[in-house]
Amino acid sequence: MSKKIITVSREFGSGGRYIAEQVAKRLDYEYYDKAIIARVAEETGLSEKFIEGEGEYAPKQHWFTYAFVGRDQQGLSLGGRMYAAQRKIILDVAEKESCVIVGRCADDILSDREDCLNVFICGDLKEKTERITKMYELSEKEAQRKMREVDKKRSLHYNYYTERKWGDARNYSIALNSSQIGYEKCIDIICDLAGQ
Amino acid sequence: MSKKIITVSREFGSGGRYIAEQVAKRLDYEYYDKAIIARVAEETGLSEKFIEGEGEYAPKQHWFTYAFVGRDQQGLSLGGRMYAAQRKIILDVAEKESCVIVGRCADDILSDREDCLNVFICGDLKEKTERITKMYELSEKEAQRKMREVDKKRSLHYNYYTERKWGDARNYSIALNSSQIGYEKCIDIICDLAGQ
């Protein structure tokens, strides 16, 4: 059965987003990453900046503010409201068209569908560091700190909303180490599996 | 760079051992699974039955016996002695020949080598249960209990000896869900990557 939906979770610096984009291009699938942010903003009235931070990261730790201030009429926190809208949009686009969705717990949100290929891309420290130092013009030390921070946030967010463990191989159809396998080979394997 | 060594870790019932055997046959690589047990027995004087149980499972919980009785002259517990011998044998065979090694923390033991492809095979509950009920003539309930027990033991053993997390995608070059991808496709992908 060919896969209509490809979800891509990835470690920061692993090239997962690049791989996802290339897969979407080659398969002529819609590509969803930042586009989801704009749609969530439209639906919720929240700012794109807030959604960008919150949509992949754990609910902020300033629970006091959240508990007593940032709630809507249904009693949802801003983060909860954002997540509910994001979930609805992901379910909608998956229903409507063939697509590649990056991050945003899409693998868990779409876990009832059998036409999903869930992918995790990770990489080795050396290659990820090199990629980040180049892309963000950071020192090696800064790059590794950024890597730890971003992955920690993604992991906390995923574990909070899905009750699964981010990066656990058992959540995904396939997990690939892009440093060891190479970006192009990752793209080939994913496209091949999507068409199976 | 082609991969001389393929290590295969696997969930119970995922067909990981079958996939590993087929990969070895197709690539004409040596296949190491039970053969390691016999060699560890020869080196240590421990019984094959003890090694089979201990070699992939966590050190037994009766620590009192271990602490005061089951130690050799170097102060190693029986489990420790077994693990040290197993480690040495795995390093030896990897040095000597192209091979596929199933389980036994081989991915961690060989982590200094660059010619290793480390594979994790997992599967979906339904397919794993079906496979186990057929192979061991068990009821569905018994199969699922056995699955939980074996995977728990493998996980404890791996986490104890390697300080990594069993099943975490980041330990492996590639992780494949055999229920979603299919056994034959898993074999194809692994053989293709080994020859890269």
Side-chain angles (χ1 to χ4, degrees), chain A residues 6-10 16-17 20 31-34 36 55-57 83 86 90 100-110 118-120 154 157-158 162 166 172:
Chain A
I6 300 171
T7 70
V8 179
S9 309
R10 76 290 180 212
R17 172 174 285 150
Y31 173 75
Y32 283 103
D33 183 2
K34 308 266 179 204
I36 291 180
E56 276 216 292
Y57 302 144
Y83 189 78
Q86 186 168 283
I90 287 174
V100 176
I101 306 172
V102 176
R104 295 166 203 282
C105 308
D107 57 309
D108 185 67
I109 291 169
L110 301 172
N118 298 311
V119 180
F120 184 78
R154 284 182 183 161
H157 176 83
Y158 185 88
T162 70
W166 187 76
Y172 312 100

Side-chain angles (χ1 to χ4, degrees), chain A residues 11 120 122 166-170 172-177 180-181 185 189 192-193 196, chain B residues 11 120 122 166-170 172-177 180-181 185 189 192-193 196:
Chain A
E11 281 192 311
F120 184 78
C122 55
W166 187 76
D168 189 310
R170 288 159 286 188
Y172 312 100
S173 318
I174 184 166
L176 296 158
N177 180 314
Q180 292 173 34
I181 290 176
K185 195 76 192 174
I189 292 173
D192 178 42
L193 289 177
Q196 250 200 119
Chain B
E11 279 193 311
F120 184 78
C122 55
W166 186 77
D168 189 309
R170 288 159 285 188
Y172 311 100
S173 317
I174 183 166
L176 296 157
N177 181 315
Q180 293 174 32
I181 290 177
K185 196 74 191 175
I189 292 173
D192 178 41
L193 289 177
Q196 250 200 117

Side-chain angles (χ1 to χ4, degrees), chain B residues 37 47-60 82 86 104 153-154 157:
Chain B
I37 297 172
S47 78
E48 293 197 14
K49 198 177 165 200
F50 175 84
I51 297 158
E52 187 155 17
E54 201 75 11
E56 277 216 291
Y57 302 144
K60 297 226 170 35
M82 183 281 310
Q86 187 167 282
R104 291 162 207 286
K153 282 178 182 171
R154 283 181 185 163
H157 175 83

Side-chain angles (χ1 to χ4, degrees), chain A residues 67 76 93 103-105 126 135-136 147 160:
Chain A
L76 278 177
V93 299
R104 295 166 203 282
C105 308
K126 185 171 164 282
M135 284 184 79
Y136 297 89
M147 200 188 308
Y160 179 85

